Amino acid sequence: MACKLATLATLGALVLIAGAPSTVAQPLDLGAPDLVLVNGKVLTLDEQSSVTEAIAVRDGRILATGTSASIRSLAGARTQVLDVSGKTVVPGLIDTHAHFKAAGLADYVVNMSRAKTVADALEAIKTFAVKKKPGEWIVGGAWHPPSQLAEKRYLTRQEIDSVAPDNPVYLRTVGHFSMANTKALEIVGVDKTTADPSGGSFERDSTGDLTGVLVETAIDRVEKAVPPWTEEDEIRQFMIAEGALNSFGITSAVEGATEARDVRILQKIAASGKATLRTGLMFRPEPPADLSSWEAVMSGNGASSGFGDDWVRFAGIKIFYDGGMTLKTALMRDVYPDSHDNYHGVAQQTPERLTKLVSICNRFGWRVGVHVVGDLGIDQVLDAFEAVDKEKSIRDRRFVLIHASLIRPEQMERARKLGVRVDFQNVFMWDKAATVERFLGRPTADRAVPTKTLIATMGLDSLGAGTDFPVNPINPFLNMYIMVTRKDPKGSVYGSSEAISREQALRLYTSAASRYTFDEGRKGTIQSGKLADFAVLSADYLAVPEEQIKDIKTDITIVGGRVVFQR
């Protein structure tokens, strides 16, 4: 691969200093880089997949790339020189779907991620409860009991009561199921006589008594009762989270379902100059009671998708449609294999209502991303997109199918014709592939997240990869490992024909991912003029044995020309 040196203008000029002897020219740092990185294996990921050695940075942007000698020659007296001793350098990684605030919540919520049994989970709650006064809320961090616990089930309210009898307890999972104990249900006025809300349910046992499990829209009843964090708490949480993502080489993320208060906090962090992560916001308004309320939110103060800057920008509106393949709630064309009641999954609203919501967003210039997983759900979301496209074209707007884990080839073609993106998460198949197989059967598990077919049908630039953290690990190299190998932790391979190349996987995190926020001209590759976001890796991503891809670490992360993480 050819090494390339960007064209430089007026760099290194000698300027006469007033009062100095006319025969002596003194070099000034005018135009010199702030930072030069040398002696690297720099994967630029430009159109030619060029590999070079060095990068010069000035004012937060890439000034030039080239050989170490040519770039080092640009350095001035104040230039920081970073010698990476032959290590691989990649563009800053972009997670196109994460709920990254969760990475900053360790001091605020019960960590359920290490629980392997019901007993482990209850012990974690009991230990956390000791630090709380009676009556104070206890909240759990995201986890996935059906795949995580040996018992393959959720906790009951009675079990939670046994370890935290004096506190209301609310345990989030992955956004479609939650658990609450008796005190929490009492606070919000839910008992066994309470009717289920549309699109959700308060789970009951065989006697009709509440189990404490909240399904889909029933979650809101308890979620809204949990006291919000203080602004100081939230600033700290987000800043810890940004640093955590930086430690994996992640320099940008699409925040998958942003609430209004999170927008304000992220703006404050950016305005303070302390942000280290560029954030695209998929704004999730409170579910409206009526369409006029939804229209009022969309018209708002005149903002629309793209409003913001390089640090915080509205990427679009997030709408939920179905559930998940790991939750047995994805909306499927076929009946679930073990169903005895013609069960196809869960839709959180009717197709007609979805179309109306998307139509209003489109009318006011908002791009829409819809959470949809099952193939029947994807049919209905694409129907909505096609309907609103007839009202006002969406073809250059990059509407998004978020997840689309069980998309079929003919649906990919429909999406391609509309200019719709698919942003998926292969990492769902890391520790949850066996759960997908149990709920939907092996053939469906093998065709889940059909990455190679998506690339062949839609083109790499219409796709992006993320993690849905904290549902799944944030580690991008684990995600890329799964894309390349299709393996789970036990070495079982699911859908080997859908494996892709290492470069394709890396581009799904960089050049292709940048297109989610229309930033392909600003980031995603290492080229002159683009934002100086890149990561130095512990190993050669393109050359290490396949099994070692998941073990790659980030040694240095640079955002806007500033070192924000160094191992």
Side-chain angles (χ1 to χ4, degrees), residues 280-474:
L281 308 175
M282 291 302 289
F283 180 45
R284 184 194 179 193
E286 287 292 324
D290 54 73
L291 293 176
S292 61
S293 299
W294 183 256
E295 184 163 334
V297 172
M298 291 307 108
S299 59
N301 60 7
S304 59
S305 295
F307 184 80
D309 58 22
D310 286 331
W311 288 106
V312 181
R313 179 180 303 146
F314 278 117
I317 298 296
K318 169 74 169 289
I319 298 175
F320 281 88
Y321 193 60
D322 70 349
M325 62 178 178
T326 65
L327 304 168
K328 205 175 179 180
T329 52
L331 191 60
M332 302 295 294
R333 292 176 178 175
D334 298 327
V335 172
Y336 274 74
D338 63 351
S339 171
H340 302 293
D341 57 358
N342 200 35
Y343 177 71
H344 288 264
V346 174
Q348 298 193 32
Q349 54 197 300
T350 65
E352 294 76 21
R353 180 174 173 80
L354 173 68
T355 301
K356 290 174 181 176
L357 294 176
V358 176
S359 175
I360 292 168
C361 293
N362 189 36
R363 192 191 322 153
F364 288 102
W366 286 101
R367 184 254 296 265
V368 176
V370 179
H371 167 114
V372 63
V373 176
D375 48 15
L376 177 57
I378 295 168
D379 283 336
Q380 294 172 356
V381 173
L382 288 172
D383 288 346
F385 285 175
E386 287 172 349
V388 304
D389 178 64
K390 293 175 182 176
E391 301 169 351
K392 176 182 175 182
S393 177
I394 69 169
R395 291 167 194 262
D396 60 348
R397 309 267 301 289
R398 303 180 192 174
F399 278 42
V400 191
L401 297 176
I402 298 171
H403 307 307
S405 306
L406 297 171
I407 192 169
R408 294 183 179 271
E410 71 273 14
Q411 295 172 324
M412 300 175 198
E413 185 61 31
R414 288 178 70 188
R416 185 192 64 79
K417 289 179 179 178
L418 284 168
V420 167
R421 291 181 58 84
V422 175
D423 284 85
F424 46 79
Q425 302 81 37
N426 293 74
V427 72
F428 269 107
M429 302 303 287
W430 176 241
D431 58 354
K432 301 177 182 67
T435 302
V436 177
E437 181 179 358
R438 188 168 80 250
F439 288 163
L440 290 160
R442 182 62 189 238
T444 302
D446 280 336
R447 73 175 181 85
V449 202
T451 316
K452 187 172 184 177
T453 303
L454 278 160
I455 292 172
T457 306
M458 297 184 63
L460 196 107
D461 284 347
S462 295
L463 310 169
T467 57
D468 203 11
F469 175 83
V471 179
N472 302 304
I474 194 69

Side-chain angles (χ1 to χ4, degrees), residues 477-490:
F477 297 102
L478 174 62
N479 204 1
M480 287 185 243
Y481 166 80
I482 297 164
M483 295 183 214
V484 171
T485 68
R486 302 284 295 192
K487 289 183 180 179
D488 76 356
K490 296 179 180 178

Side-chain angles (χ1 to χ4, degrees), residues 110-130 138 140 143 145 148-151 153-165 167 169-171 179-182 211:
V110 185
N111 182 356
M112 308 298 285
S113 65
R114 298 184 182 90
K116 301 299 182 186
T117 65
V118 167
D120 291 344
L122 295 176
E123 183 61 30
I125 299 166
K126 182 178 180 180
T127 301
F128 195 83
V130 171
I138 294 172
W143 59 315
Q148 189 173 321
L149 300 184
E151 295 84 354
R153 65 171 177 82
Y154 297 95
L155 308 182
T156 68
R157 66 179 174 88
Q158 294 89 348
E159 287 171 330
I160 303 169
D161 290 345
S162 72
V163 292
N167 300 86
V169 179
Y170 174 60
L171 304 177
M179 289 152 281
N181 73 344
T182 302
T211 67

Side-chain angles (χ1 to χ4, degrees), residues 256-280:
T258 317
E259 298 179 357
R261 68 178 186 271
D262 293 337
V263 178
R264 289 191 290 270
I265 296 299
L266 287 165
Q267 285 179 320
K268 287 195 173 189
I269 293 171
S272 74
K274 295 178 181 178
T276 62
L277 184 78
R278 305 185 193 278
T279 308

